[in-house]
Amino acid sequence: MPGVAVQAPNGAAGGTRARSTRRGGRWRLESPAAGRGRHAAGCEGGADEEDEKKEKGKRRRRKKKKKGGQERLWAEPSPRPEGPPRAQAPQPEAVGCWAPHTMFSVLSYGRLVARAVLGGLSQTDSRDYSLVTASCGFGKDFRKGILKKGMCYGDDACFVARHRSADVLGVADGVGGWRDYGVDPSQFSGTLMRTCERLVKEGRFIPSNPVGILTTSYCELLQNKVPLLGSSTACIVVLDRTSHRLHTANLGDSGFLVVRGGEVVHRSDEQQHYFNTPFQLSIAPPEAEGVVFSDSPDAADSTTFDVQLGDIILTATDGLFDNMPDYMILQELKKLKNSNYESIQQTARSIAEQAHELAYDPNYMSPFAQFACDNGLNVRGGKPDDITVLLSIVAEYTD
């Protein structure tokens, strides 16, 4: 580059330093003595003043020549060209300074982007997840947990099913008021849950659409050749193994909660027409149509939530939530030390047993009693009810 200091050849007087310059398209070495004599002392290729005049004259003559009204490309670089040439190779300054910096910046930015993308991909958990689930429950008329056919506790029912793409579970609470009309409330809730379970095992569902499972099951009940009367709340929870997402549909006052790090990070919303009258799926005799509440499955509250390994999912009927506030449930969940089925089963039983005991405590101010007081009713104690608990832990999927 012009102006870069280089060591003078051995012939330079006194070992002086010389500088390189570019003149007339040729690189020359000039000593500090250049310009004081006809030749630079000891420098090859030195030019005297006469040579310089001749070179300048040649450049002026070349510049004046035209061809077809356009300037020719210059045969030699000029120190001060008038107007840019139509095609000119980059000067050493541009090639040596600006272009490498630009290329370095572009390449560096590309590498940073690549690292960010690859880093993001490496942090993505490619493992499939699954739910390890245990159940426990009590019918309100029994002191011991009695499991009826089809996983029913009293008028409650539940199911746990697996398919290649998802784990699905659900709870339903049969409306006990039908017993006054000679109808067993557990028949409706139990049939609804068994139908949901069958649909899942047959693969007739979309993991991201748990409402669809409820809708198809309910339609099958409506089309049943054998008349089935009754009503039920319902809650469906679906874990998509690949996306690690929890898809839920809750109709009524059953529900679920997700616990992470000892805190509730997500929970279902309760649906009530008014106090103690939840949303419900119903099949009523013709004479009772319009009198019995009958909500559409589409009215269910739907949510989607990303889960992590170790997350705890508790799905239950209102018999649990009406008798145990969140802080009591969290205290019991602290006893859960690992994802072994035996440990989960023991914790699920501990939660169900405590809720069952509190349901019959007349001096206990239960969540249900507090809700009743908020609605102007003087109520105290627990709420005797059927209790169903499904306790799950998100774990790595294994065949």
Side-chain angles (χ1 to χ4, degrees):
M1 293 184 289
V4 176
V6 296
Q7 186 68 37
N10 293 332
T16 59
R17 294 178 65 84
R19 64 187 182 91
S20 63
T21 60
R22 185 174 184 176
R23 293 181 178 176
R26 291 170 294 183
W27 291 98
R28 301 183 182 184
L29 293 174
E30 292 184 355
S31 74
R36 294 199 298 267
R38 294 182 57 86
H39 297 278
C43 292
E44 296 180 2
D48 58 15
E49 294 178 0
E50 185 178 352
D51 290 337
E52 285 293 319
K53 293 179 180 179
K54 290 181 180 179
E55 289 293 334
K56 291 180 180 178
K58 290 179 182 180
R59 285 197 292 271
R60 284 195 295 269
R61 286 193 296 274
R62 289 192 186 99
K63 183 177 179 182
K64 293 180 180 178
K65 292 182 181 180
K66 304 283 183 176
K67 182 177 181 181
Q70 299 291 332
E71 293 184 2
R72 289 186 180 182
L73 297 178
W74 296 350
E76 297 181 51
S78 174
R80 297 181 182 276
E82 295 181 6
R86 293 192 306 173
Q88 185 175 357
Q91 297 301 308
E93 292 89 342
V95 173
C97 299
W98 179 84
H101 268 301
T102 304
M103 293 177 65
F104 177 79
S105 299
V106 173
L107 293 175
S108 298
Y109 180 77
R111 284 194 291 267
L112 289 174
V113 172
R115 288 194 193 104
V117 172
L118 292 175
L121 291 176
S122 64
Q123 293 176 4
T124 301
D125 194 343
S126 60
R127 295 172 294 180
D128 284 352
Y129 289 0
S130 66
L131 295 179
V132 182
T133 303
S135 67
C136 187
F138 293 90
K140 64 183 176 183
D141 297 327
F142 303 96
R143 278 301 186 185
K144 292 184 178 180
I146 298 179
L147 183 63
K148 294 183 180 179
K149 181 180 179 181
M151 292 188 72
C152 293
Y153 299 99
D155 297 336
D156 288 354
C158 61
F159 78 94
V160 178
R162 280 190 167 192
H163 192 258
R164 61 175 176 270
S165 62
D167 289 348
V168 187
L169 51 89
V171 296
D173 181 5
V175 177
W178 282 95
R179 191 170 279 106
D180 297 335
Y181 299 91
V183 175
D184 182 356
S186 67
Q187 290 297 314
F188 187 93
S189 58
T191 304
L192 180 67
M193 291 292 96
R194 287 192 296 271
T195 305
C196 289
E197 180 180 11
R198 175 171 53 81
L199 292 175
V200 171
K201 290 182 176 180
E202 293 175 354
R204 296 169 55 190
F205 75 105
I206 300 173
S208 61
N209 184 24
V211 173
I213 300 175
L214 272 182
T215 301
T216 305
S217 299
Y218 181 54
C219 288
E220 284 197 15
L221 267 59
L222 289 172
Q223 298 170 3
N224 200 331
K225 295 180 180 179
V226 179
L228 180 66
L229 303 179
S231 301
S232 173
T233 66
C235 180
I236 303 293
V237 174
V238 182
L239 172 65
D240 188 315
R241 292 205 188 102
T242 304
S243 70
H244 308 160
R245 287 184 175 178
L246 199 71
H247 304 281
T248 68
N250 185 56
L251 184 76
D253 57 2
S254 294
F256 68 93
L257 53 84
V258 180
V259 177
R260 179 183 301 159
E263 296 181 355
V264 176
V265 295
H266 187 63
R267 70 174 306 147
S268 57
D269 291 327
E270 189 175 286
Q271 294 178 312
Q272 296 265 5
H273 289 289
Y274 47 83
F275 175 68
N276 208 29
T277 307
F279 282 30
Q280 55 199 269
L281 301 176
S282 300
I283 299 179
E287 62 272 16
E289 290 182 2
V291 178
V292 176
F293 280 108
S294 183
D295 298 289
S296 168
D298 292 333
D301 179 57
S302 300
T303 63
T304 296
F305 184 78
D306 291 331
V307 296
Q308 301 176 8
L309 290 175
D311 281 357
I312 301 172
I313 302 169
L314 186 146
T315 310
T317 56
D318 65 327
L320 172 68
F321 299 118
D322 282 343
N323 287 294
M324 285 186 71
D326 286 356
Y327 79 89
M328 285 189 181
I329 295 174
L330 292 176
Q331 286 177 349
E332 291 298 318
L333 291 177
K334 289 180 181 178
K335 302 175 182 178
L336 189 58
K337 301 301 182 182
N338 53 57
S339 59
N340 292 335
Y341 175 81
E342 292 75 14
S343 177
I344 299 172
Q345 178 66 62
Q346 182 177 356
T347 305
R349 173 167 288 277
S350 176
I351 293 173
E353 286 178 344
Q354 184 168 348
H356 186 71
E357 292 297 326
L358 292 172
Y360 292 91
D361 185 346
N363 299 315
Y364 169 58
M365 196 63 180
S366 65
F368 176 80
Q370 293 175 355
F371 188 26
C373 291
D374 292 340
N375 283 270
L377 301 175
N378 186 15
V379 176
R380 190 174 184 84
K383 179 193 175 187
D385 200 357
D386 304 316
I387 298 170
T388 297
V389 175
L390 297 181
L391 185 59
S392 310
I393 290 186
V394 179
E396 183 177 354
Y397 174 74
T398 55
D399 293 330

